[in-house]
Amino acid sequence: MKPMPGRRLHLITWGVVAALLAGLAVAVAVLLWHTRADALDVAEARVTRFAAGAEAGMNRTLLSFDVLLAHTEELLALRARDRAGLDVAGADTLLRGVARQNLLLRYVALLDARGAVLASSASTGELDGVELPEGFLAAALAPAVATLSVSQPVVSPTSSERVLYMARQLRMGDGTPLLVVAQVPTEALVAVLMQGLEVPDMEVTLERTQGVLLLGVEAPQGTVERQERAAPALQEGGADDGVHAWQASARLSGKPAMVVARPLIYPDLWATVSLPRDAALAGWRQEALTVLFGALLFAATVVAAGSVVALYLRRMHSARRVVARSKATLDQALEAMVSGFVLLDAQRCVVQWNLRFEEMFPWLVSTIGEGVPFRRVLETTVHYHLPGASAEEKRAWVEERLQQQCTPRGGVEQLLPNGHYVQITERATADGGVVIIYHDVTDLRLATAEVEHLAFYDQLTGLPNRRLLLDQLGDASASAVRTGTHGAVLFIDLDHFKTLNDTLGHEIGDYLLQQVARRLESGVRVGDIVARLGGDEFVVLLAGLATEAERAREQVRAVAEKVVQLLAQPYPIAGQSYHGSCSVGAALFGSVLQTAAEVLKQADIAMYQVKAQRGNAVCFFDPRMQVALSARARLESDLQDALREGQFLLHLQPQFTRDGAVVGVEALLRWQHPERGLVLPAEFIGVAEDSELIVPLGRWVLASACELLARWQASPRLRELSLSVNVSARQFRSPDFVEQLSQLLLRSGAPAHRLELELTESLVLEDVEDSIAKMHQLRTKGVRFAVDDFGTGYSSLAYLTRLPLHRLKIDRTFVHHLGESRSDDVVVQTILGMARNLDLEVVAEGVETEEQRSFLALHGCDVYQGYLLAHPMPVEALQARYGDAPQAQPTAAH
C-alpha cells in the first residue's frame, strides 16, 4: 500500500484534534447547563424545607402565646367577677406565674378598654403603663370572636429593644371587655423563625398579607428593623414553578430570588423565605470554574498530543529515507554478528567473512582471504580438528565437508580444540553459492547438561534422585528375575531430623544431609546405588545378591546394620558433636517381577515399622505389614465416612459423691459402625490422632456436650449435673480452640460453668504458657478444668498452682491396686492430701470394689466413678435413670 503524503497526514491529524476540541466544548456546555439546573433544584428544595420549618415554628410559638393568654381568663376567674371584684394583688401574682410559663415573654398585662393597666406580671413600680402601637388597642378589641392579635414592632420604652405585642380579648362577668397583652422581644422570635440555625444567604421574614414587615432576618446583616421599600402583597408559594421561580424579588434585598411564602394559622400573618439566585449559584460557579479549568487542561493535552503525532509523522517520513540508506551498511552489520559468517560463491571460493569468524578460528587468519578456495581453509582446519589422524583420514574429512556443501541439509556440530561447541549451518544462495553460519552453542550444551543433571540428581547431595532411582530399580528388578539373583532396597529415614532442622536451622540440616550422603556412599559396595528421595529420606539399591533368599537376606542385613552404625557416629556440627540415628526398612526383590514403585513402597512400609518402635533399627518387609497398613487405611477412610454420616455417639458415665448422689457425668465417645457394631475409642483414637481427624472429631464431641447441657436446663435434676469432656492435645493446641468453644457455648445456650474440660498433664506441660493463657480465657467464661490421669505424668506443684483447675482425676491404674500395693496406696493418699491443700476436688476413676471406695472415702476422696457404681450408658438411658425420677443409692454396676 502506498503511504499517504505527509501533508495529507498532517491535515487528518489536525482535523481529528479540531473534532475532539469541538466535542469537548459541547460536552462542557451541556454539563454546566445541567449542573446549574441541578444547583437551582437543590436550592429550591432547601428553601422549601426551610419555609416549612419556619411556618411550623411560628405556628407553634403563636399558638402557645394564644393558649397562654386565653388561659388567663379562667385563671383570674374573670367570668365570675365584675371589675370592682378584681383582686389586683392576686391577679399580679397569677400573671407572674403565667409569664414564667413562656421564656419568650417579657411580661403579661391586663388592660381595660382604655388601655389602663389593671394587673401585670411586672414587679411593683416597674410598669406604670403599656405603650401599645397606635390603633392596636382598638383593633385587638374589635373582633366579635376572641383571637390572637399581633402588633407592629415598636421600641420598648423600658428596655429600648424592638418588641411585638400579643393581645387577646377577654370579658368579665358583667360583660366588661378587657385585653390581656404580652410583650415579646423580636430577637426571641428571630430564633423561632430561623429554627435555631445560622443559614447564610437566606432572607426570612414575618409579614402581613399586604407586605407589611413585622420581623426580618437578612444575611449577613442579621435582623432588619425596617423595610426601605414596600413589598408586594403575598400569595402562597411565592413564585411559579420552573425557571421563572427564580425571577421573583427577595422580600428584603429585592434581588432576583426564589421566594416561598407560607400563611400562618392566624389571619394576615405570613412567613417568607427568600434565597437570592446569586447565592444559590455560588457553589455552582466554583464547580464551573473547576470544570472549565479541567476542560482547558484536556484541550491543551489534545493539542499537545496532536503536535506529538505530527512530529512523529515527520520523523517516520524521515525514517523511510534512512532505511533506504541503511542497506549500504550491511557489511557493518555482519561484523557485529555474534556468529561467524562466511559467504562462498558458486566455485566455493571465499567472497566475504566477518570478524567473529576469525575470533572463533584464529588459526585461519593467515589463510582466509577473498577468492581463496574453501578447500584450502578446510585443509588448514583439519590439522587442528584431527591432530593425531593420518593423512588419509584428514583428506577423507575434508572431502566429506566439501560433499556436505553440495547438498546443504541443516546444522553440523563440531567440538573445537579449545573445548567450545560450534554449530555449523550451511544454506545455498540463489546464484549457487553457500552461506555458512558458525554459532557458538557451548553455553547451550552446558545448560542442557545441567538441566539433565537436575532432572536426575539431587541438587543438595549430588546423589541420584527419585526419578533416576526408579529407572535403575526397574532395570535391576528385571535383571534379577532374568539372572535368578536377588536385589534389595534399603529405605533410610533419619530419626529426629525435624527437631534438628527446627532448632539449629535449615543450613545445619542441609550440612547434615550432605554428611549422611557421603557416609552412605562410603559404606556400600562398589556398584551399589545411593539415592536421596527428598527431605531426610535416602535409599540404597543393592544388586547382584545371592540366589538363595535367606543368604541374600543375611547380606542385606549386614549392609543395613553397617549403615545404622555409620550414621550413628557423631557429626561435628556448629562446633558441637551431634549424635543421630536412623530407621532402615529393607525389601528383597528378584523372586518375582515387581515394579520399582512396589519394591520402594515395601521398603517404606518396613521403615515405618521401625519408626513405630522408636527407630535406630533395621526391619525387613513382611506381607503382614501391608495387610496391617491396608487395614489402618480402611479404618481412616471409615472414620472420614463416620464423621460425614454422623455415626458417632456419646455414652455417659455418672460420677457420685460419698452419699451416692450423682453430681456429674463424663462424656465417652463411641462409634456405631454399620458393620462392626459399637466400636470403643481404643480402636480408633490413635488413627484419628495420626490422620488429624481428631480435631473435627473433638469439635463434634464438644458441640454435642453443649447441646446436652442446654437441653438439660429444662430438667430440675439434670440441670445440676456437670459434664466432663476429654480434649486431645492437637485439638487444644489449635489457634482458634478458645474462639470455637466460645461460639459453641453461645449458639447452644449451654451454661458454661457446667462444662468441664479434662486435660492430661503432658498436654499442659507441652507448652505451659499457652495452656495457662487459653485456660484463663475460658475460665473467665465459666468453663471448668480438670487434670485427667493425674499421677501418671511428671506432676509439678509449680504448674498446679498456676493453672485455673477445679479437679484432679486419679488414674484408674492407682485405684485398681488399692489395698494390694503399698506404693499405690501412698500415691493416692499423697494426691488426696495435695489436692486438699490446693483446695481442689478429686475424682477417683475405675472404682470397682467396695474396698476401693472405702479406702478412698477414708482418706477424703470427694467423687467416685467406676463400674461399682455405674457403667457408661447411652444418653437416653442416663436421662431416664437420673432425670426427674428419685435417685437410688448405687451399690453395684448394672
Side-chain angles (χ1 to χ4, degrees):
M1 178 179 176
K2 185 178 179 181
M4 285 192 243
R7 182 176 180 79
R8 185 179 175 188
L9 286 175
H10 280 283
L11 291 175
I12 291 176
T13 300
W14 289 111
V16 171
V17 170
L20 287 174
L21 293 179
L24 177 63
V26 172
V28 169
V30 172
L31 175 63
L32 293 180
W33 173 261
H34 283 295
T35 55
R36 183 180 184 278
D38 291 341
L40 292 176
D41 289 343
V42 170
E44 182 176 353
R46 175 183 166 207
V47 172
T48 303
R49 285 195 304 272
F50 195 91
E55 175 193 2
M58 286 305 301
N59 280 337
R60 283 194 302 269
T61 302
L62 294 177
L63 184 60
S64 68
F65 292 157
D66 195 8
V67 171
L68 193 65
L69 296 180
H71 180 60
T72 57
E73 184 177 88
E74 179 182 356
L75 185 66
L76 300 178
L78 296 181
R79 290 288 185 177
R81 300 179 182 176
D82 55 16
R83 180 169 180 176
L86 181 64
D87 180 8
V88 175
D92 289 346
T93 301
L94 292 175
L95 288 178
R96 279 194 288 273
V98 170
R100 282 195 294 270
Q101 293 181 28
N102 195 315
L103 298 178
L104 299 181
L105 302 180
R106 280 283 183 267
Y107 65 81
V108 179
L110 185 65
L111 310 181
D112 61 11
R114 293 174 298 174
V117 178
L118 302 180
S120 74
S121 64
S123 301
T124 305
E126 258 184 29
L127 191 66
D128 295 330
V130 177
E131 295 186 9
L132 298 176
E134 182 179 353
F136 178 69
L137 179 64
L141 292 172
V145 178
T147 185
L148 182 71
S149 299
V150 182
S151 75
Q152 289 296 110
V154 295
V155 177
S156 171
T158 57
S159 62
S160 299
E161 60 182 342
R162 292 179 65 82
V163 297
L164 291 175
Y165 289 96
M166 308 291 169
R168 184 179 177 87
Q169 182 182 4
L170 305 178
R171 290 193 179 274
M172 301 194 72
D174 58 359
T176 303
L178 300 178
L179 192 68
V180 59
V181 178
Q183 187 187 78
V184 182
T186 57
E187 286 298 327
L189 291 179
V190 167
V192 175
L193 197 63
M194 297 302 292
Q195 307 164 53
L197 304 173
E198 293 185 8
V199 184
D201 307 322
M202 283 193 185
E203 301 174 8
V204 186
T205 66
L206 177 65
E207 301 181 43
R208 299 196 186 279
T209 305
Q210 297 306 317
V212 179
L213 180 68
L214 300 180
L215 178 63
V217 181
E218 180 182 9
Q221 291 85 356
T223 305
V224 177
E225 297 185 355
R226 60 191 181 83
Q227 194 167 350
E228 298 295 336
R229 59 185 181 79
L234 293 169
Q235 58 181 0
E236 187 169 0
D240 297 327
D241 295 331
V243 177
H244 300 292
W246 293 92
Q247 302 303 319
S249 298
R251 302 300 292 175
L252 297 177
S253 64
K255 298 176 181 177
M258 161 63 71
V259 180
V260 176
R262 295 296 180 92
L264 304 184
I265 57 177
Y266 293 96
D268 200 38
L269 291 180
W270 292 71
T272 73
V273 180
S274 306
L275 178 63
R277 185 172 55 198
D278 290 341
L281 293 176
W284 171 82
R285 291 191 182 92
Q286 293 296 326
E287 183 180 350
L289 289 175
T290 302
V291 172
L292 287 173
F293 177 79
L296 290 174
L297 188 61
F298 180 78
T301 304
V302 171
V303 172
S307 301
V308 170
V309 171
L311 179 61
Y312 171 77
L313 292 175
R314 283 196 298 271
R315 290 185 175 180
M316 186 174 63
H317 187 67
S318 301
R320 290 195 183 98
R321 295 195 298 268
V322 172
V323 169
R325 290 194 301 267
S326 67
K327 293 179 180 179
T329 63
L330 180 59
D331 292 341
Q332 297 177 6
L334 292 176
E335 294 299 331
M337 288 177 60
V338 296
S339 300
F341 170 82
V342 174
L343 176 63
L344 306 180
D345 59 16
Q347 287 73 39
R348 302 299 183 266
C349 294
V350 176
V351 175
Q352 193 174 6
W353 70 97
N354 64 359
L355 181 62
R356 179 59 178 156
F357 176 79
E358 294 181 357
E359 292 174 352
M360 296 175 71
F361 303 95
W363 55 85
L364 294 176
V365 174
S366 60
T367 303
I368 195 168
E370 188 174 352
V372 173
F374 195 65
R375 173 183 290 273
R376 187 185 303 174
V377 174
L378 292 177
E379 289 172 346
T380 304
T381 300
V382 72
H383 297 295
Y384 293 90
H385 279 290
L386 304 174
S390 64
E392 186 62 30
E393 291 173 336
K394 292 178 179 179
R395 188 165 46 254
W397 184 86
V398 172
E399 294 298 332
E400 181 182 0
R401 285 290 292 117
L402 290 173
Q403 186 63 32
Q404 289 174 353
Q405 290 182 356
C406 297
T407 55
R409 59 180 183 279
V412 176
E413 192 167 295
Q414 287 184 356
L415 176 62
L416 301 183
N418 59 6
H420 283 235
Y421 289 90
V422 175
Q423 186 178 49
I424 304 173
T425 305
E426 298 177 336
R427 292 287 185 271
T429 62
D431 58 357
V434 178
V435 173
I436 309 175
I437 304 296
Y438 299 84
H439 186 63
D440 191 334
V441 294
T442 305
D443 292 340
L444 178 61
R445 290 293 165 262
L446 293 176
T448 303
E450 183 178 358
V451 169
E452 184 176 351
H453 186 272
L454 291 175
F456 293 100
Y457 290 88
D458 176 54
Q459 190 173 4
L460 177 65
T461 62
L463 297 177
N465 60 13
R466 177 186 292 271
R467 181 177 178 183
L468 182 55
L469 172 69
L470 290 175
D471 289 344
Q472 294 174 333
L473 179 54
D475 295 340
S477 178
S479 176
V481 173
R482 186 171 59 254
T483 59
T485 59
H486 284 85
V489 167
L490 300 181
F491 199 112
I492 305 164
D493 185 270
L494 303 183
D495 298 332
H496 312 299
F497 177 74
K498 184 178 185 301
T499 303
L500 173 74
N501 235 6
D502 294 341
T503 54
L504 299 182
H506 291 282
E507 291 184 0
I508 300 299
D510 291 346
Y511 175 75
L512 176 64
L513 293 175
Q514 291 170 341
Q515 295 303 307
V516 169
R518 302 292 81 80
R519 290 188 184 186
L520 289 175
E521 287 180 319
S522 66
V524 299
R525 306 171 306 170
V526 176
D528 294 336
I529 297 172
V530 179
R532 179 182 177 226
L533 299 188
D536 59 340
E537 294 179 340
F538 295 85
V539 171
V540 175
L541 173 60
L542 307 176
L545 301 177
T547 55
E548 298 84 8
E550 192 58 34
R551 175 60 182 155
R553 179 184 288 266
E554 292 175 0
Q555 293 174 322
V556 174
R557 182 174 295 277
V559 176
E561 290 177 349
K562 182 180 179 181
V563 166
V564 172
Q565 293 174 0
L566 274 174
L567 300 189
Q569 298 298 317
Y571 297 86
I573 295 178
Q576 299 179 358
S577 181
Y578 172 75
H579 294 267
S581 61
C582 66
S583 301
V584 181
L588 285 174
F589 61 86
S591 300
V592 294
L593 184 61
Q594 293 175 278
T595 65
E598 289 173 342
V599 178
L600 197 60
K601 182 179 180 182
Q602 290 175 356
D604 189 16
I605 293 172
M607 182 273 295
Y608 272 104
Q609 293 299 313
V610 180
K611 282 286 186 184
Q613 302 298 323
R614 299 191 177 181
N616 197 29
V618 179
C619 178
F620 279 85
F621 172 76
D622 189 309
R624 287 174 296 182
M625 297 177 183
Q626 183 73 52
V627 174
L629 190 64
S630 299
R632 185 182 181 90
R634 281 197 304 273
L635 183 59
E636 182 178 338
S637 177
D638 288 350
L639 277 174
Q640 293 174 339
D641 294 340
L643 267 173
R644 185 170 55 254
E645 299 172 7
Q647 296 175 6
F648 291 101
L649 51 87
L650 293 182
H651 278 199
L652 305 176
Q653 186 172 26
Q655 298 168 339
F656 299 89
T657 61
R658 296 182 189 179
D659 57 3
V662 179
V663 293
V665 294
E666 180 179 2
L668 302 172
L669 184 62
R670 298 292 186 266
W671 179 9
Q672 189 64 50
H673 195 282
E675 298 174 0
R676 300 167 57 187
L678 197 63
V679 184
L680 297 180
E683 300 183 43
F684 63 85
I685 286 297
V687 176
E689 289 180 342
D690 292 343
S691 62
E692 298 189 2
L693 290 173
I694 194 68
V695 175
L697 190 55
R699 190 182 304 123
W700 177 88
V701 172
L702 283 175
S704 301
C706 291
E707 291 174 3
L708 268 181
L709 286 173
R711 193 163 68 239
W712 285 355
Q713 294 310 294
S715 171
R717 291 186 180 277
L718 296 176
R719 69 186 304 169
E720 301 300 326
L721 300 183
S722 64
L723 182 56
S724 302
V725 178
N726 283 282
V727 178
S728 70
R730 193 181 296 272
Q731 182 183 7
F732 186 75
R733 292 298 170 213
S734 299
D736 58 348
F737 174 74
V738 174
E739 182 181 356
Q740 284 185 2
L741 182 53
S742 302
Q743 291 296 323
L744 289 175
L745 289 168
L746 183 63
R747 285 198 298 267
S748 65
H753 67 283
R754 296 295 180 192
L755 178 64
E756 182 178 85
L757 302 184
E758 296 185 5
L759 311 175
T760 62
E761 290 179 86
S762 59
L763 186 158
V764 173
L765 293 176
E766 182 183 332
D767 188 344
V768 176
E769 298 305 325
D770 179 66
S771 302
I772 292 173
K774 288 182 177 177
M775 292 172 71
H776 274 296
Q777 290 180 55
L778 292 173
R779 193 69 187 90
T780 59
K781 301 180 184 300
V783 178
R784 301 195 299 180
F785 290 90
V787 175
D788 194 21
D789 300 336
F790 186 77
T792 60
Y794 298 97
S795 304
S796 170
L797 283 175
Y799 87 81
L800 281 179
T801 56
R802 295 177 62 194
L803 298 176
L805 294 175
H806 175 68
R807 280 181 175 177
L808 300 179
K809 297 192 74 175
I810 303 176
D811 187 69
R812 64 181 66 250
T813 57
F814 299 119
V815 175
H816 183 69
H817 296 290
L818 285 178
E820 302 173 4
S821 171
R822 174 64 181 166
S823 61
D824 287 350
D825 293 352
V826 173
V827 168
V828 171
Q829 292 177 43
T830 303
I831 293 174
L832 290 170
M834 180 179 62
R836 190 163 44 251
N837 292 331
L838 294 175
D839 196 23
L840 296 175
E841 192 176 274
V842 178
V843 180
E845 292 184 302
V847 180
E848 299 180 357
T849 66
E850 283 291 349
E851 291 75 12
Q852 294 169 354
R853 182 166 69 169
S854 299
F855 182 93
L856 292 165
L858 177 64
H859 292 90
C861 184
D862 305 305
V863 183
Y864 312 89
Q865 178 180 340
Y867 289 173
L868 174 68
L869 307 171
H871 281 261
M873 62 189 75
V875 174
E876 294 76 11
L878 182 131
Q879 292 175 162
R881 183 177 299 180
Y882 301 106
D884 295 336
Q887 297 184 36
Q889 176 75 16
T891 57
H894 300 286

